[in-house]
Short mmCIF file of all heavy atoms in Angstrom, two decimals:
data_model
loop_
_atom_site.label_atom_id
_atom_site.label_comp_id
_atom_site.label_asym_id
_atom_site.label_seq_id
_atom_site.Cartn_x
_atom_site.Cartn_y
_atom_site.Cartn_z
N SER A 1 0.83 -1.22 -0.01
CA SER A 1 0.03 -0.01 0.00
C SER A 1 0.86 1.28 0.00
O SER A 1 0.69 2.16 0.84
CB SER A 1 -0.95 0.02 1.19
OG SER A 1 -0.24 -0.15 2.41
N VAL A 2 1.78 1.34 -0.93
CA VAL A 2 2.66 2.49 -1.09
C VAL A 2 1.93 3.48 -2.02
O VAL A 2 1.58 3.16 -3.16
CB VAL A 2 4.02 2.11 -1.70
CG1 VAL A 2 4.83 3.35 -1.96
CG2 VAL A 2 4.77 1.18 -0.80
N PRO A 3 1.71 4.72 -1.59
CA PRO A 3 0.93 5.67 -2.43
C PRO A 3 1.68 6.33 -3.53
O PRO A 3 1.10 6.99 -4.37
CB PRO A 3 0.44 6.71 -1.37
CG PRO A 3 1.53 6.72 -0.35
CD PRO A 3 2.02 5.28 -0.29
N ASN A 4 3.05 6.27 -3.51
CA ASN A 4 3.81 6.94 -4.56
C ASN A 4 4.65 5.90 -5.35
O ASN A 4 5.85 6.00 -5.40
CB ASN A 4 4.68 8.06 -4.02
CG ASN A 4 5.67 7.55 -2.97
OD1 ASN A 4 5.34 6.67 -2.18
ND2 ASN A 4 6.87 8.14 -2.92
N ILE A 5 3.99 4.91 -5.96
CA ILE A 5 4.66 3.81 -6.61
C ILE A 5 5.64 4.36 -7.69
O ILE A 5 6.80 3.85 -7.81
CB ILE A 5 3.63 2.86 -7.26
CG1 ILE A 5 2.98 2.03 -6.14
CG2 ILE A 5 4.28 1.87 -8.25
CD1 ILE A 5 1.85 1.15 -6.65
N PRO A 6 5.27 5.33 -8.50
CA PRO A 6 6.22 5.78 -9.54
C PRO A 6 7.54 6.34 -8.99
O PRO A 6 8.50 6.45 -9.69
CB PRO A 6 5.42 6.87 -10.31
CG PRO A 6 4.02 6.53 -10.09
CD PRO A 6 3.99 5.99 -8.66
N GLY A 7 7.57 6.63 -7.66
CA GLY A 7 8.77 7.16 -7.05
C GLY A 7 9.90 6.16 -7.09
O GLY A 7 11.08 6.57 -6.85
N CYS A 8 9.63 4.89 -7.28
CA CYS A 8 10.70 3.90 -7.31
C CYS A 8 11.44 3.86 -8.62
O CYS A 8 12.45 3.19 -8.74
CB CYS A 8 10.21 2.51 -6.91
SG CYS A 8 9.11 1.75 -8.12
N VAL A 9 10.90 4.56 -9.62
CA VAL A 9 11.61 4.67 -10.94
C VAL A 9 11.64 6.16 -11.28
O VAL A 9 10.99 6.60 -12.23
CB VAL A 9 10.97 3.84 -12.04
CG1 VAL A 9 11.28 2.35 -11.90
CG2 VAL A 9 9.43 4.05 -12.07
N PRO A 10 12.38 6.97 -10.47
CA PRO A 10 12.25 8.41 -10.49
C PRO A 10 12.67 9.03 -11.82
O PRO A 10 12.12 10.06 -12.23
CB PRO A 10 13.09 8.88 -9.33
CG PRO A 10 14.09 7.77 -9.12
CD PRO A 10 13.32 6.50 -9.38
N ARG A 11 13.70 8.49 -12.47
CA ARG A 11 14.15 9.14 -13.68
C ARG A 11 13.10 9.08 -14.80
O ARG A 11 12.72 10.08 -15.32
CB ARG A 11 15.43 8.38 -14.20
CG ARG A 11 15.97 8.92 -15.51
CD ARG A 11 16.84 10.14 -15.36
NE ARG A 11 17.39 10.62 -16.54
CZ ARG A 11 18.30 11.56 -16.70
NH1 ARG A 11 18.72 12.20 -15.63
NH2 ARG A 11 18.80 11.90 -17.87
N THR A 12 12.53 7.89 -15.00
CA THR A 12 11.45 7.69 -16.00
C THR A 12 10.26 8.59 -15.59
O THR A 12 9.69 9.32 -16.41
CB THR A 12 11.07 6.26 -16.08
OG1 THR A 12 12.10 5.50 -16.59
CG2 THR A 12 9.84 6.09 -17.05
N SER A 13 9.94 8.55 -14.32
CA SER A 13 8.73 9.27 -13.88
C SER A 13 8.85 10.76 -13.98
O SER A 13 7.92 11.48 -14.40
CB SER A 13 8.41 8.87 -12.42
OG SER A 13 8.13 7.51 -12.30
N THR A 14 10.07 11.31 -13.59
CA THR A 14 10.26 12.75 -13.73
C THR A 14 10.18 13.21 -15.16
O THR A 14 9.56 14.22 -15.47
CB THR A 14 11.62 13.09 -13.07
OG1 THR A 14 11.53 12.90 -11.67
CG2 THR A 14 11.97 14.55 -13.37
N LEU A 15 10.86 12.49 -16.05
CA LEU A 15 10.80 12.88 -17.46
C LEU A 15 9.38 12.85 -18.00
O LEU A 15 8.93 13.75 -18.68
CB LEU A 15 11.69 11.94 -18.26
CG LEU A 15 13.25 12.14 -18.06
CD1 LEU A 15 14.01 10.96 -18.65
CD2 LEU A 15 13.70 13.43 -18.67
N ALA A 16 8.64 11.78 -17.66
CA ALA A 16 7.28 11.61 -18.22
C ALA A 16 6.36 12.68 -17.63
O ALA A 16 5.48 13.29 -18.32
CB ALA A 16 6.75 10.23 -17.83
N LEU A 17 6.51 12.97 -16.34
CA LEU A 17 5.60 14.01 -15.71
C LEU A 17 5.90 15.42 -16.25
O LEU A 17 4.98 16.12 -16.58
CB LEU A 17 5.81 13.93 -14.16
CG LEU A 17 4.83 14.85 -13.37
CD1 LEU A 17 3.40 14.46 -13.61
CD2 LEU A 17 5.17 14.73 -11.84
N THR A 18 7.18 15.77 -16.36
CA THR A 18 7.49 17.10 -16.80
C THR A 18 7.06 17.29 -18.27
O THR A 18 6.66 18.41 -18.65
CB THR A 18 9.02 17.35 -16.67
OG1 THR A 18 9.38 17.20 -15.33
CG2 THR A 18 9.36 18.77 -17.17
N ASN A 19 7.07 16.22 -19.05
CA ASN A 19 6.61 16.35 -20.41
C ASN A 19 5.15 16.88 -20.47
O ASN A 19 4.76 17.61 -21.44
CB ASN A 19 6.58 14.95 -21.13
CG ASN A 19 8.01 14.54 -21.53
OD1 ASN A 19 8.91 15.36 -21.57
ND2 ASN A 19 8.14 13.24 -21.85
N GLU A 20 4.39 16.56 -19.44
CA GLU A 20 2.98 16.94 -19.41
C GLU A 20 2.70 18.20 -18.59
O GLU A 20 1.82 19.00 -18.95
CB GLU A 20 2.11 15.78 -18.87
CG GLU A 20 2.18 14.50 -19.65
CD GLU A 20 1.69 14.66 -21.04
OE1 GLU A 20 0.81 15.52 -21.29
OE2 GLU A 20 2.12 13.88 -21.93
N THR A 21 3.43 18.44 -17.50
CA THR A 21 3.20 19.61 -16.67
C THR A 21 3.65 20.90 -17.20
O THR A 21 3.13 21.97 -16.94
CB THR A 21 3.82 19.36 -15.22
OG1 THR A 21 5.21 19.23 -15.42
CG2 THR A 21 3.20 18.18 -14.52
N ILE A 22 4.77 20.86 -17.99
CA ILE A 22 5.46 22.10 -18.40
C ILE A 22 4.54 23.04 -19.11
O ILE A 22 4.61 24.30 -18.92
CB ILE A 22 6.73 21.76 -19.22
CG1 ILE A 22 7.58 23.03 -19.39
CG2 ILE A 22 6.40 21.14 -20.54
CD1 ILE A 22 8.15 23.60 -18.06
N LYS A 23 3.65 22.60 -19.94
CA LYS A 23 2.81 23.53 -20.70
C LYS A 23 1.86 24.24 -19.78
O LYS A 23 1.49 25.40 -19.99
CB LYS A 23 2.06 22.80 -21.82
CG LYS A 23 1.08 21.70 -21.36
CD LYS A 23 0.57 20.93 -22.54
CE LYS A 23 -0.31 19.80 -22.09
NZ LYS A 23 -0.79 18.95 -23.23
N TYR A 24 1.37 23.56 -18.76
CA TYR A 24 0.46 24.24 -17.76
C TYR A 24 1.25 25.24 -16.91
O TYR A 24 0.74 26.32 -16.62
CB TYR A 24 -0.16 23.17 -16.83
CG TYR A 24 -1.14 22.29 -17.57
CD1 TYR A 24 -0.79 21.06 -18.05
CD2 TYR A 24 -2.50 22.74 -17.80
CE1 TYR A 24 -1.71 20.25 -18.73
CE2 TYR A 24 -3.39 21.96 -18.50
CZ TYR A 24 -2.97 20.71 -18.92
OH TYR A 24 -3.89 19.87 -19.58
N ILE A 25 2.48 24.88 -16.51
CA ILE A 25 3.30 25.80 -15.72
C ILE A 25 3.59 27.05 -16.52
O ILE A 25 3.45 28.18 -16.06
CB ILE A 25 4.61 25.12 -15.31
CG1 ILE A 25 4.28 23.95 -14.43
CG2 ILE A 25 5.51 26.13 -14.56
CD1 ILE A 25 5.52 23.02 -14.20
N LYS A 26 3.98 26.87 -17.84
CA LYS A 26 4.26 28.00 -18.70
C LYS A 26 3.02 28.90 -18.83
O LYS A 26 3.12 30.17 -18.80
CB LYS A 26 4.69 27.58 -20.08
CG LYS A 26 6.13 27.05 -20.13
CD LYS A 26 6.53 26.61 -21.58
CE LYS A 26 7.88 26.16 -21.69
NZ LYS A 26 8.24 25.73 -23.06
N ASN A 27 1.83 28.30 -18.97
CA ASN A 27 0.64 29.04 -19.10
C ASN A 27 0.34 29.95 -17.89
O ASN A 27 0.00 31.08 -18.03
CB ASN A 27 -0.57 28.12 -19.34
CG ASN A 27 -1.80 28.73 -19.92
OD1 ASN A 27 -1.76 29.89 -20.37
ND2 ASN A 27 -2.95 28.04 -19.87
N ILE A 28 0.54 29.34 -16.71
CA ILE A 28 0.31 30.13 -15.52
C ILE A 28 1.29 31.22 -15.32
O ILE A 28 0.94 32.39 -15.04
CB ILE A 28 0.37 29.11 -14.26
CG1 ILE A 28 -0.76 28.15 -14.30
CG2 ILE A 28 0.28 30.00 -12.93
CD1 ILE A 28 -0.62 26.98 -13.33
N VAL A 29 2.59 30.95 -15.51
CA VAL A 29 3.58 31.97 -15.16
C VAL A 29 3.72 33.05 -16.24
O VAL A 29 4.12 34.15 -15.95
CB VAL A 29 4.99 31.32 -14.87
CG1 VAL A 29 4.91 30.33 -13.77
CG2 VAL A 29 5.55 30.64 -16.13
N ASN A 30 3.35 32.72 -17.43
CA ASN A 30 3.43 33.71 -18.51
C ASN A 30 2.20 34.60 -18.67
O ASN A 30 2.25 35.73 -19.06
CB ASN A 30 3.74 33.01 -19.87
CG ASN A 30 5.16 32.44 -19.88
OD1 ASN A 30 6.03 32.89 -19.19
ND2 ASN A 30 5.35 31.43 -20.69
N LYS A 31 1.03 33.98 -18.32
CA LYS A 31 -0.23 34.72 -18.50
C LYS A 31 -0.78 35.28 -17.14
O LYS A 31 -1.60 36.17 -17.14
CB LYS A 31 -1.33 33.87 -19.12
CG LYS A 31 -1.09 33.43 -20.54
CD LYS A 31 -2.27 32.61 -21.07
CE LYS A 31 -2.10 32.21 -22.48
NZ LYS A 31 -3.27 31.36 -22.98
N GLY A 32 -0.36 34.66 -16.05
CA GLY A 32 -0.97 34.95 -14.77
C GLY A 32 -2.10 33.92 -14.57
O GLY A 32 -2.69 33.40 -15.54
N LEU A 33 -2.39 33.64 -13.28
CA LEU A 33 -3.32 32.52 -12.95
C LEU A 33 -4.69 32.67 -13.57
O LEU A 33 -5.21 31.79 -14.16
CB LEU A 33 -3.40 32.40 -11.40
CG LEU A 33 -4.40 31.32 -10.97
CD1 LEU A 33 -3.89 29.93 -11.31
CD2 LEU A 33 -4.62 31.41 -9.42
N ILE A 34 -5.31 33.89 -13.39
CA ILE A 34 -6.70 34.04 -13.82
C ILE A 34 -6.82 33.87 -15.34
O ILE A 34 -7.69 33.18 -15.85
CB ILE A 34 -7.23 35.40 -13.37
CG1 ILE A 34 -7.21 35.53 -11.85
CG2 ILE A 34 -8.67 35.57 -13.90
CD1 ILE A 34 -7.94 34.42 -11.12
N GLU A 35 -5.93 34.54 -16.12
CA GLU A 35 -5.97 34.40 -17.55
C GLU A 35 -5.74 32.98 -18.03
O GLU A 35 -6.31 32.46 -18.96
CB GLU A 35 -5.00 35.37 -18.25
CG GLU A 35 -5.46 36.81 -18.18
CD GLU A 35 -6.89 37.01 -18.80
OE1 GLU A 35 -7.13 36.47 -19.89
OE2 GLU A 35 -7.70 37.62 -18.14
N ALA A 36 -4.81 32.32 -17.32
CA ALA A 36 -4.49 30.89 -17.63
C ALA A 36 -5.71 30.02 -17.41
O ALA A 36 -6.05 29.15 -18.23
CB ALA A 36 -3.33 30.44 -16.79
N ILE A 37 -6.41 30.22 -16.30
CA ILE A 37 -7.62 29.48 -16.03
C ILE A 37 -8.70 29.74 -17.04
O ILE A 37 -9.34 28.78 -17.59
CB ILE A 37 -8.19 29.80 -14.62
CG1 ILE A 37 -7.21 29.35 -13.51
CG2 ILE A 37 -9.55 29.18 -14.41
CD1 ILE A 37 -7.58 29.83 -12.13
N LYS A 38 -8.87 30.99 -17.38
CA LYS A 38 -9.95 31.32 -18.29
C LYS A 38 -9.67 30.82 -19.72
O LYS A 38 -10.61 30.56 -20.51
CB LYS A 38 -10.12 32.86 -18.40
CG LYS A 38 -10.79 33.40 -17.10
CD LYS A 38 -11.00 34.90 -17.16
CE LYS A 38 -11.69 35.46 -15.92
NZ LYS A 38 -11.91 36.91 -15.96
N SER A 39 -8.38 30.66 -20.00
CA SER A 39 -8.05 30.16 -21.39
C SER A 39 -7.91 28.65 -21.48
O SER A 39 -7.75 28.13 -22.62
CB SER A 39 -6.72 30.78 -21.84
OG SER A 39 -5.65 30.26 -21.09
N ASP A 40 -8.02 27.94 -20.37
CA ASP A 40 -7.86 26.50 -20.40
C ASP A 40 -8.80 25.82 -19.44
O ASP A 40 -8.62 25.80 -18.22
CB ASP A 40 -6.39 26.19 -20.04
CG ASP A 40 -5.99 24.71 -20.23
OD1 ASP A 40 -6.93 23.88 -20.29
OD2 ASP A 40 -4.78 24.41 -20.27
N PHE A 41 -9.82 25.16 -20.03
CA PHE A 41 -10.84 24.47 -19.23
C PHE A 41 -10.20 23.46 -18.30
O PHE A 41 -10.58 23.28 -17.14
CB PHE A 41 -11.82 23.79 -20.19
CG PHE A 41 -12.80 22.86 -19.53
CD1 PHE A 41 -13.99 23.27 -18.99
CD2 PHE A 41 -12.45 21.45 -19.36
CE1 PHE A 41 -14.86 22.41 -18.39
CE2 PHE A 41 -13.34 20.62 -18.73
CZ PHE A 41 -14.51 21.02 -18.29
N SER A 42 -9.20 22.71 -18.80
CA SER A 42 -8.62 21.59 -18.03
C SER A 42 -7.91 22.15 -16.77
O SER A 42 -7.93 21.49 -15.75
CB SER A 42 -7.64 20.79 -18.90
OG SER A 42 -6.58 21.54 -19.38
N LEU A 43 -7.24 23.30 -16.90
CA LEU A 43 -6.54 23.91 -15.74
C LEU A 43 -7.55 24.32 -14.67
O LEU A 43 -7.34 24.11 -13.51
CB LEU A 43 -5.69 25.03 -16.21
CG LEU A 43 -4.88 25.77 -15.13
CD1 LEU A 43 -3.89 24.79 -14.49
CD2 LEU A 43 -4.13 26.99 -15.72
N ALA A 44 -8.62 24.87 -15.12
CA ALA A 44 -9.71 25.26 -14.23
C ALA A 44 -10.19 24.04 -13.37
O ALA A 44 -10.47 24.18 -12.18
CB ALA A 44 -10.91 25.96 -14.93
N LYS A 45 -10.28 22.90 -14.04
CA LYS A 45 -10.69 21.69 -13.32
C LYS A 45 -9.68 21.27 -12.24
O LYS A 45 -10.00 20.53 -11.29
CB LYS A 45 -10.90 20.53 -14.30
CG LYS A 45 -12.07 20.72 -15.25
CD LYS A 45 -13.38 20.47 -14.61
CE LYS A 45 -13.67 18.98 -14.41
NZ LYS A 45 -15.04 18.72 -13.88
N GLY A 46 -8.42 21.71 -12.44
CA GLY A 46 -7.39 21.33 -11.47
C GLY A 46 -7.42 22.14 -10.20
O GLY A 46 -6.80 21.75 -9.21
N ILE A 47 -8.09 23.27 -10.18
CA ILE A 47 -8.13 24.11 -9.00
C ILE A 47 -8.92 23.43 -7.89
O ILE A 47 -10.10 23.18 -8.04
CB ILE A 47 -8.76 25.50 -9.28
CG1 ILE A 47 -8.05 26.16 -10.42
CG2 ILE A 47 -8.67 26.36 -8.00
CD1 ILE A 47 -6.64 26.56 -10.24
N ASN A 48 -8.29 23.14 -6.76
CA ASN A 48 -8.95 22.49 -5.63
C ASN A 48 -9.29 23.47 -4.51
O ASN A 48 -10.33 23.28 -3.84
CB ASN A 48 -8.10 21.35 -5.11
CG ASN A 48 -8.20 20.09 -5.90
OD1 ASN A 48 -8.03 18.99 -5.34
ND2 ASN A 48 -8.42 20.14 -7.19
#
């Protein structure tokens, strides 16, 4: 019952995760949070 299974193969996991997260990070830091949310439905779903 380990909750962070991908952590045991960190190199693969880091590369794979960054491939997907980077576009969202760029959207937030370059546009600002509100504009990023308004321009991307999927990012809005991520706000908890």
Side-chain angles (χ1 to χ4, degrees):
S1 56
V2 176
N4 59 324
I5 289 175
C8 70
V9 285
R11 178 80 177 189
T12 296
S13 297
T14 291
L15 289 166
L17 186 59
T18 302
N19 284 345
E20 301 297 333
T21 58
I22 191 64
K23 61 187 176 186
Y24 291 98
I25 298 167
K26 285 181 176 178
N27 197 14
I28 295 167
V29 301
N30 292 335
K31 292 183 179 179
L33 179 66
I34 300 303
E35 285 306 310
I37 292 171
K38 289 181 176 180
S39 68
D40 188 342
F41 170 89
S42 61
L43 183 60
K45 293 283 285 185
I47 307 294
N48 279 211

